[in-house]
Amino acid sequence: MKKFTKLFLAACLITGFACAVNAQSVGISADGSAPDNSAMLDLKSTTKGLLPPRMTTAQRNAIASPVSGLMIYNTDEKNINVFNGESWALLSPVVCGQTFSDSRDGKIYATVQIGTQCWMAQNLNVGTRINGSVTQTNNSPIPIIEKYCYNNNEANCNVYGGLYQWDEMMQYSTNPGIQGICPPYWHLPTDAEWCTLAIFLDASVNCSIEGNLGTNAGGKIKEAGTTHWNSPNTGATNSSGFTALPGGFCPSGDFFSYLGSEGHFWTSTVYSASNAWYRLLAADKATINRSKPLRGYGLSVRCIMD
């Protein structure tokens, strides 16, 4: 401690800062005030900040055996990253309405505030593509997220997001509202949270039924026009900013269906050992359809902020 203190004081003299040291704490300030006893290192300034190491995602990932709490500034994500003991995560929550970067792969997502909820405004696209003929599996001990891309074409994932079997999406849990394959600070929306979205947009929605809900909630969340949706894209205004896309689905094997015509979105609410609730949007309807397909189908995923 004595050797460190001498070196520390020498550095302060060279830089012109006022430094203070007691038995437990070290302080650097412009006024020479003593460090707070609760802090190991106390920095005080109204004109300068603390600059952590700056590096790219690749450089961060190359750090050998990072300790829990390790912090860096990610120049790709433009955000502080902290290692939580298992993976790198953002230091601060996302600001709704702004884009954010998924700390796992650097992909950028738009976000939108709808009523009291904050949703990702793009379909999730995370994981390693596998062919539709292969069942998505529980990889352990190191989880590997697997996805389908429509017609086994990665370019379709880049536009419409991945297609996920329900169990893969849930990472083999059945607890509604868990993070699953969503990024940190986000979770998989429950059936009730999808209902909250629909009712906010259309007061006529009745979420206690199975089938078409209300009159125009679907039109308010579908991307407008026919860039991605097939004509007539009935009622589509995207007035909510949700920007739902028609990613189709993978019902079995290498059989993909309804790209451009339908968007199929999982909820995290299970219905039975074989089925789970989901939402369907169609090019020829302005409604949202609530139903319960087989959990083995590959469908699109949206995440909602914690």
Side-chain angles (χ1 to χ4, degrees), residues 166 266 269-277 292-295:
W166 191 84
W266 280 125
T269 302
V270 69
Y271 176 78
S272 69
S274 302
N275 305 79
W277 290 107
K292 47 185 187 301
L294 292 172
R295 285 159 53 170

Side-chain angles (χ1 to χ4, degrees), residues 3-278:
K3 183 177 181 180
F4 167 77
T5 300
K6 291 179 180 179
L7 292 173
F8 173 71
L9 292 174
C12 290
L13 291 173
I14 293 173
T15 59
F17 286 107
C19 303
V21 180
N22 61 33
Q24 301 294 330
S25 306
V26 173
I28 302 176
S29 65
D31 58 9
S33 58
D36 190 280
N37 288 331
S38 66
M40 191 72 179
L41 175 62
D42 187 356
L43 307 179
K44 296 177 182 177
S45 176
T46 58
T47 59
K48 298 180 183 293
L50 175 67
L51 187 63
R54 293 162 289 175
M55 61 187 73
T56 65
T57 298
Q59 291 169 330
R60 179 203 71 186
N61 292 343
I63 297 175
S65 302
V67 67
S68 296
L70 190 66
M71 182 184 302
I72 62 100
Y73 179 81
N74 189 313
T75 55
D76 291 331
E77 298 179 1
K78 296 179 173 56
N79 210 317
I80 297 291
N81 289 176
V82 177
F83 191 73
N84 63 17
E86 297 181 355
S87 62
W88 289 95
L90 298 177
L91 177 63
S92 57
V94 178
V95 177
C96 197
Q98 298 182 4
T99 59
F100 77 97
S101 174
D102 189 336
S103 60
R104 300 168 296 181
D105 57 16
K107 288 188 175 69
I108 305 296
Y109 293 95
T111 64
V112 61
Q113 186 80 33
I114 305 176
T116 59
Q117 299 173 319
C118 182
W119 289 83
M120 285 172 52
Q122 293 168 244
N123 293 351
L124 185 65
N125 180 24
V126 66
T128 300
R129 186 189 69 79
I130 62 174
N131 287 338
S133 58
V134 181
T135 299
Q136 296 173 2
T137 56
N138 185 6
N139 297 285
S140 60
I142 301 176
I144 299 174
I145 298 173
E146 295 171 332
K147 66 182 180 181
Y148 300 136
C149 296
Y150 198 93
N151 282 345
N152 298 317
N153 185 345
E154 184 77 35
N156 285 322
C157 275
N158 294 335
V159 175
Y160 299 98
L163 299 174
Y164 303 90
Q165 294 179 322
W166 191 84
D167 291 292
E168 179 73 7
M169 174 192 74
M170 297 289 289
Q171 289 295 278
Y172 303 90
S173 169
T174 56
N175 295 324
I178 64 168
Q179 178 181 340
I181 61 172
C182 290
Y185 303 109
W186 297 83
H187 66 270
L188 298 166
T190 63
D191 183 61
E193 286 174 319
W194 270 99
C195 285
T196 297
L197 170 67
I199 292 170
F200 176 79
L201 298 174
D202 179 0
S204 70
V205 164
N206 176 8
C207 279
S208 66
I209 65 171
E210 183 176 357
N212 290 323
L213 308 178
T215 58
N216 61 9
K220 291 181 178 180
I221 69 173
K222 289 192 296 180
E223 179 191 56
T226 55
T227 299
H228 298 105
W229 283 94
N230 294 343
S231 182
N233 200 12
T234 302
T237 64
N238 196 32
S239 60
S240 68
F242 189 90
T243 319
L245 294 182
F249 75 122
C250 180
S252 63
D254 280 331
F255 178 48
F256 295 87
S257 297
Y258 295 109
L259 183 73
S261 296
E262 296 180 353
H264 300 252
F265 299 89
W266 280 125
T267 82
S268 58
T269 302
V270 69
Y271 176 78
S272 69
S274 302
N275 305 79
W277 290 107
Y278 90 136

